[in-house]
Amino acid sequence: MAKKVVVGLSGGVDSSVAAYLLKKQGYEVYGVTMDIWTEGAVDTVNGGCLGSQAKEDARKVAETLDIPYKVVDVRGKFRENVMNYFADSYKNGETPNPCTLCNRRVKWEALFKGAELFGAEYVATGHYAKIRKLANGRYTIANSYTAAKDQTYALCNLTQEQLRRTLLPIGDYEKSEVRKIAAEAGIEIAAKPDSMEICFIPDGDYAGYLEKEYGIAAHKGNFVDVDGNVLGEHRGIVHYTIGQRKGLGIAFGKPMFVKEIRPETNEVVLSDNEGLFTERVVAERINFMAETKEEIEASDKIYLAKIRYNHKGGECKLSFEEDRIAAEFLEPQRASAPGQTLVVYNEAGEVVCGGRIVRN
């Protein structure tokens, strides 16, 4: 009897090809799309996971591949775990990464809900990553074949049980190969562009969204230097993120960057580029993958850690402070932002652990 798998169809080419490949491999494939539509959200043709067009595209793909298809309502979970978290983070002067949280607490839960509906053992997505079971019995996410599209960073919060039952069939392909497979399979969206913005704010206006949806107004305050000297007036802390240079609205005679955001005093601290570098990054809410806390503590290994999605990573050593982890980098790293995710890799390109960056 063929094994059953539920594929998360997002309306994009990657998830569509994932479903196609699994069907070719002999799986009994079912399609599921998350319904995260919320009142007042902006609908766009390329609205990522959110737009009504994405759901229509997913339905058409299911028809083309001749697989059963359902939409799973996760609107409540999405608002609670992703949208509210995003708003609270910006209000507190942080730069959140909602995708890492959404994958664990919303997307995969929706997939497993679909698995229950169809009686499937496995779930699958179109992420560019691989899953490995290691000698210590643990499951982990490993780098995909193509570094240009590697999405291991976004999957760092998945649990061991989620990993055990997950398939990632396009982790061995380049994006160009995936588009070619889609075209050959007759999938209409083979050339559909990738979604780049946060799915529930497709126009990229974070400040406008926060004020309209959550009543979080942008109050003016002071730009200050590291010594507390006032340099000028800012538009509200929700307009800024660590490392930002453009859009400050003031000429300083030399390049100045956002070094720190202080919500308690409504101040934005500016510095030159050198002031953005740090050798130590601390994270909380740690999710362990390739190694347990005890295994990390017992080793003296050098790891590679990323402090944001497009960060190339830096070599570091790890230590623990109660329930937090500290990455001590061998070379200073630029613009570590509270709210972003610290993801640690071993020499094999496997995710060791991940956690939410906090203020040092």
Side-chain angles (χ1 to χ4, degrees):
M1 180 181 291
K3 293 181 179 179
K4 296 182 179 181
V5 59
V6 166
V7 180
L9 294 178
S10 66
V13 64
D14 298 329
S15 61
S16 303
V17 170
Y20 171 76
L21 291 173
L22 289 169
K23 189 172 182 180
K24 278 194 68 176
Q25 292 168 19
Y27 285 90
E28 191 174 327
V29 179
Y30 301 85
V32 164
T33 297
M34 295 192 307
D35 183 7
I36 58 175
W37 183 261
T38 54
E39 185 179 352
V42 179
D43 193 15
T44 64
V45 172
N46 297 314
C49 302
L50 178 63
S52 58
Q53 183 62 50
K55 283 182 281 189
E56 177 61 18
D57 287 343
R59 185 190 63 78
K60 289 181 180 179
V61 168
E63 282 185 359
T64 300
L65 299 180
D66 191 24
I67 61 175
Y69 172 73
K70 286 187 181 292
V71 175
V72 176
D73 186 350
V74 292
R75 287 174 293 179
K77 279 187 173 294
F78 188 79
R79 175 170 287 280
E80 177 185 352
N81 290 287
V82 180
M83 298 172 70
N84 292 353
Y85 164 76
F86 181 90
D88 288 342
S89 294
Y90 262 96
K91 185 177 180 181
N92 292 326
E94 299 172 340
T95 305
N97 188 316
C99 293
T100 59
L101 200 62
C102 178
N103 282 330
R104 172 172 174 168
R105 296 191 177 179
V106 183
K107 184 173 290 184
W108 256 255
E109 286 200 13
L111 288 173
F112 283 121
K113 185 175 180 180
E116 288 181 13
L117 292 173
F118 291 117
E121 171 65 18
Y122 297 101
V123 301
T125 69
H127 284 92
Y128 287 86
K130 300 178 183 180
I131 294 177
R132 291 179 186 160
K133 185 177 182 180
L134 306 179
N136 62 358
R138 297 185 65 80
Y139 290 86
T140 188
I141 294 288
N143 286 334
S144 68
Y145 175 76
T146 169
K149 287 292 293 182
D150 185 78
Q151 292 176 308
T152 53
Y153 183 93
L155 302 176
C156 69
N157 275 328
L158 296 186
T159 68
Q160 289 295 294
E161 177 61 14
Q162 288 172 333
L163 292 172
R164 182 186 71 80
R165 296 177 58 190
T166 297
L167 305 175
L168 300 175
I170 68 168
D172 290 319
Y173 294 88
E174 297 272 4
K175 181 73 179 197
S176 58
E177 294 177 291
V178 168
R179 291 198 183 279
K180 183 179 179 181
I181 292 169
E184 291 173 349
I187 297 172
E188 292 183 8
I189 57 170
K192 184 177 179 178
D194 293 339
S195 177
M196 303 299 291
E197 298 293 341
I198 290 177
C199 62
F200 54 95
I201 317 178
D203 63 357
D205 182 9
Y206 298 173
Y209 166 81
L210 292 171
E211 183 166 8
K212 178 181 178 181
E213 189 74 18
Y214 287 91
I216 300 175
H219 298 291
K220 294 180 179 180
N222 289 327
F223 283 125
V224 298
D225 62 19
V226 293
D227 297 317
N229 298 309
V230 176
L231 303 176
E233 186 178 69
H234 66 67
R235 296 182 295 148
I237 62 174
V238 296
H239 288 282
Y240 307 97
T241 188
I242 307 301
Q244 179 178 335
R245 176 186 175 185
K246 294 181 179 180
L248 299 183
I250 301 177
F252 295 98
K254 63 177 181 177
M256 295 290 280
F257 303 83
V258 176
K259 176 182 175 64
E260 182 184 352
I261 298 171
R262 297 173 177 170
E264 62 278 0
T265 57
N266 195 28
E267 292 176 322
V268 175
V269 182
L270 304 180
S271 74
D272 58 18
N273 188 58
E274 290 185 3
L276 298 179
F277 286 82
T278 182
E279 295 178 348
R280 188 170 186 271
V281 175
V282 178
E284 62 181 6
R285 305 176 191 174
I286 310 304
N287 182 54
F288 295 94
M289 276 197 185
E291 300 177 29
T292 64
K293 178 181 180 181
E294 292 71 25
E295 288 172 326
I296 295 172
E297 287 180 315
S299 73
D300 191 34
K301 291 191 294 187
I302 292 177
Y303 297 91
L304 184 82
K306 292 185 178 184
I307 57 175
R308 56 186 166 273
Y309 179 78
N310 59 358
H311 183 217
K312 68 178 182 178
E315 292 185 328
C316 67
K317 288 200 169 185
L318 302 177
S319 61
F320 291 92
E321 303 171 351
E322 297 181 354
D323 59 347
R324 293 181 172 183
I325 193 168
E328 302 282 351
F329 288 94
L330 305 191
E331 295 184 359
Q333 302 298 308
R334 185 182 184 277
S336 170
Q340 284 287 299
T341 306
L342 174 75
V343 182
V344 180
Y345 298 80
N346 61 21
E347 66 281 357
E350 298 160 345
V351 175
V352 174
C353 61
R356 179 178 176 274
I357 296 175
V358 298
R359 288 185 176 84
N360 286 338

